[in-house]
Amino acid sequence: MLLSLGSRAQIVNHLRVDQKTFLRYASGRMQEFNPENLVLADSLYAAGTAQGNFRLKCLGLSLEIPVRYSRGEWERMDIAAMEIKQLLADRKDLRDFYFSTLHEYCEFLVHGGRVSEAMLEARAMERLASAEKKPAGMMYSYRIIGLIQSYRNNSFLAIRNLEKAAHYSKEARAEQDLPNLYILLAQENVKLRQFDQAEEYVQKAEEYQVFFPGIRLKALMTRAYIFHADNRMEDFWSCYQSLVEDPLYKMQTDTDTRLGLDITYLRSRRLFSRALSLADSLGTHQERFQQKSGIYAEMGRYEPAYSQLSQLMSHRDSVYIQVQNEDLAILDAEMNNAQLREEAQALKAQNQMTILIGFLVMFAIAFVSILLQQWRLRHNLDQLKAKNQSMLMARQAYRKALDAKEAENAVKIKILQNRKSNSFKL
């Protein structure tokens, strides 16, 4: 399941054109897959050419891109996107329109299986956004990488990149883009059979219905797939009927998205022949092979089911080979490992802090050790000094006592000598 998001959550006058012109443009954007938009697109482009007004030309080209995609007119779609890039290449003040339009173009590239081109565009967008410090551009680039990983059936990486896109959406104060991101996150959780998480994201998206009515259809469509994947068929059939009866459903979704839901409904009703017939009308090889393989398997026709599955895997392999050449592998790794790079930088900073703390701790330990050694040395010196002082005092006392004794002996000797002398006189 790879659903087109349809019109953007909010139409903003990023090009700052007059109110009358903007209202005409906004009306077309609300029904962006409507073929009648080509008439409006041509009139805006012609007016821009006549007036020398590049803003009007950009509005016309922006309206043209989704219609060309829905009609499979890839070359015309590419030309329109490239002309917008040329017109706005040096206009830093109009980056929001530039990024949002290129994001839509990249989204169509992914849905058409042109993932290598989408990767290159996303990488260029990310570099420009990073250089100019534009979080909105970072949001759009990560959203495209999320879609590419979804196309590759790598839901884990898709979710991680879409969560990064949601982070940058908040940083850019572009909360109007959050509901579509929540729908995409819900779809990836359906693939992982994490139905409770998918339902939570749908509910988050529905909180924006008051401001962005178009979210209601996307939420209902996603919930239909939740019910189908969870084998809640009665709820699925009810959602399906609500969708096909809504007059805005056809205007806000592309043909392949509607065909995919129709085929899912027919398969749930075991109307396999009609489902096969519709599957042949799908515009992308991947969706066609995948749907037909599943239908044949449910019919018990395993040989054609295997044949379709083999073609699907061969097609996927060719896509992987195309993407995994040296240059694109590097780009892919850079984009998908952006979070790991940030974590590595955080870890590096943490390690540096740890080393600093370790150094400080070691210094503190060494300092304390030195202080302790000095204290012990001083204590020992004090003890030795006291001991030496005591010994010195004892020695002095002994010396004094010895001197006194010697003096006493000298006196006694003199007395004795005097006595002997007197005795001789007598």
Side-chain angles (χ1 to χ4, degrees):
M1 175 183 63
L2 187 64
L3 307 182
S4 175
L5 286 177
S7 60
R8 303 280 73 80
Q10 187 183 43
I11 314 300
V12 182
N13 191 0
H14 289 306
L15 291 180
R16 301 188 291 276
V17 296
D18 65 273
Q19 190 66 15
K20 182 179 179 180
T21 301
F22 175 69
L23 288 176
R24 291 175 65 204
Y25 170 75
S27 177
R29 291 295 297 170
M30 289 300 295
Q31 306 174 42
E32 65 176 345
F33 296 111
N34 190 340
E36 294 180 6
N37 272 352
L38 288 180
V39 177
L40 177 57
D42 288 342
S43 67
L44 286 170
Y45 190 89
T49 301
Q51 299 174 23
N53 188 331
F54 73 96
R55 298 170 192 263
L56 296 182
K57 294 170 77 172
C58 285
L59 290 180
L61 293 166
S62 172
L63 286 172
E64 181 181 351
I65 288 173
V67 180
R68 298 298 183 192
Y69 161 74
S70 66
R71 295 170 61 160
E73 298 173 355
W74 298 102
E75 187 176 353
R76 298 291 295 274
M77 179 184 76
D78 294 342
I79 292 172
M82 293 309 104
E83 187 168 356
I84 285 180
K85 289 177 69 174
Q86 292 172 358
L87 290 170
L88 299 180
D90 299 324
R91 295 302 304 257
K92 294 183 179 181
D93 58 322
L94 302 178
R95 283 292 182 249
D96 286 342
F97 182 86
Y98 178 89
F99 287 137
S100 64
T101 303
L102 283 187
H103 164 264
E104 182 178 52
Y105 170 63
C106 289
E107 182 182 335
F108 295 147
L109 291 177
V110 175
H111 282 272
R114 297 166 62 185
V115 292
S116 299
E117 297 166 71
M119 176 66 77
L120 288 170
E121 291 288 350
R123 179 53 175 157
M125 193 187 309
E126 188 268 343
R127 283 183 173 175
L128 180 61
S130 179
E132 296 183 358
K133 296 183 177 4
K134 299 286 188 181
M138 301 295 289
M139 171 191 68
Y140 286 126
S141 61
Y142 277 108
R143 186 151 76 175
I144 291 303
I145 298 303
L147 290 176
I148 290 173
Q149 296 301 347
S150 176
Y151 182 87
R152 295 176 178 176
N153 287 329
N154 194 336
S155 293
F156 175 77
L157 280 179
I159 289 172
R160 193 168 72 179
N161 281 284
L162 292 170
E163 286 174 342
K164 291 282 287 184
H167 165 78
Y168 281 110
S169 175
K170 294 173 184 176
E171 186 175 324
R173 297 183 179 179
E175 285 82 1
Q176 70 273 8
D177 289 285
L178 283 173
N180 277 328
L181 286 167
Y182 290 149
I183 291 296
L184 288 171
L185 283 162
Q187 292 170 10
E188 295 308 311
N189 277 279
V190 172
K191 293 179 182 179
L192 296 175
R193 302 191 65 78
Q194 297 174 170
F195 302 126
D196 291 341
Q197 186 69 28
E199 179 61 33
E200 286 182 18
Y201 277 119
V202 173
Q203 290 177 6
K204 285 184 178 181
E206 287 179 323
E207 293 175 3
Y208 292 79
Q209 285 186 80
V210 175
F211 307 101
F212 317 124
I215 290 297
R216 181 183 62 82
L217 284 178
K218 301 183 183 85
L220 186 59
M221 185 182 301
T222 305
R223 190 168 277 121
Y225 277 105
I226 293 175
F227 293 147
H228 181 267
D230 201 18
N231 203 32
R232 297 164 59 182
M233 291 306 166
E234 292 293 338
D235 292 328
F236 168 67
W237 294 331
S238 176
C239 279
Y240 175 79
Q241 290 300 327
S242 297
L243 283 165
V244 297
E245 291 171 4
D246 193 309
L248 292 177
Y249 174 61
K250 185 174 182 179
M251 297 178 183
Q252 295 188 0
T253 54
D254 66 291
T255 303
D256 271 10
T257 297
R258 294 194 305 275
L259 283 174
L261 188 60
D262 291 341
I263 292 168
T264 302
Y265 173 77
L266 292 172
R267 288 173 63 176
S268 72
R269 292 291 193 181
R270 302 190 66 79
L271 300 173
F272 299 126
S273 296
R274 291 174 59 186
L276 280 172
S277 178
L278 281 184
D280 284 327
S281 302
L282 287 166
T284 64
H285 294 297
Q286 173 162 318
E287 289 295 316
R288 194 180 314 128
F289 295 144
Q290 189 165 318
Q291 288 282 7
K292 294 181 74 171
S293 175
I295 295 168
Y296 281 127
E298 290 174 1
M299 295 173 68
R301 298 176 58 185
Y302 297 111
E303 286 189 11
Y306 176 77
S307 175
Q308 293 294 320
L309 183 61
S310 297
Q311 292 182 71
L312 172 62
M313 298 311 296
S314 176
H315 175 71
R316 284 181 179 169
D317 287 344
S318 67
V319 171
Y320 293 153
I321 291 170
Q322 183 181 7
V323 171
Q324 294 303 325
N325 64 52
E326 184 177 354
D327 294 334
L328 290 179
I330 293 172
L331 296 179
D332 198 7
E334 286 181 351
M335 291 298 292
N336 287 325
N337 291 331
Q339 183 176 2
L340 296 179
R341 291 201 309 273
E342 291 182 6
E343 291 173 356
Q345 290 173 354
L347 182 60
K348 181 179 179 181
Q350 183 179 355
N351 287 339
Q352 290 174 340
M353 182 60 68
T354 302
I355 293 171
L356 177 60
I357 292 173
F359 173 77
L360 291 175
V361 170
M362 291 177 62
F363 177 79
I365 292 172
F367 182 71
V368 170
S369 178
I370 291 171
L371 287 179
L372 184 60
Q373 290 177 4
Q374 287 180 340
W375 178 83
R376 286 177 178 173
L377 180 60
R378 187 178 296 111
H379 179 69
N380 292 338
L381 287 173
D382 289 341
Q383 285 185 329
L384 183 60
K385 185 186 292 185
K387 185 178 180 179
N388 289 339
Q389 185 69 24
S390 177
M391 291 176 65
L392 179 61
M393 290 176 65
R395 187 177 299 167
Q396 289 175 345
Y398 174 76
R399 186 66 187 175
K400 286 180 179 180
L402 184 61
D403 289 344
K405 189 66 176 175
E406 288 179 349
E408 180 183 355
N409 290 337
V411 171
K412 286 181 178 181
I413 290 171
K414 286 181 178 181
I415 291 172
L416 182 59
Q417 289 175 344
N418 288 333
R419 283 180 180 178
K420 286 180 178 182
S421 177
N422 292 331
S423 171
F424 290 139
K425 288 180 179 180
L426 291 175

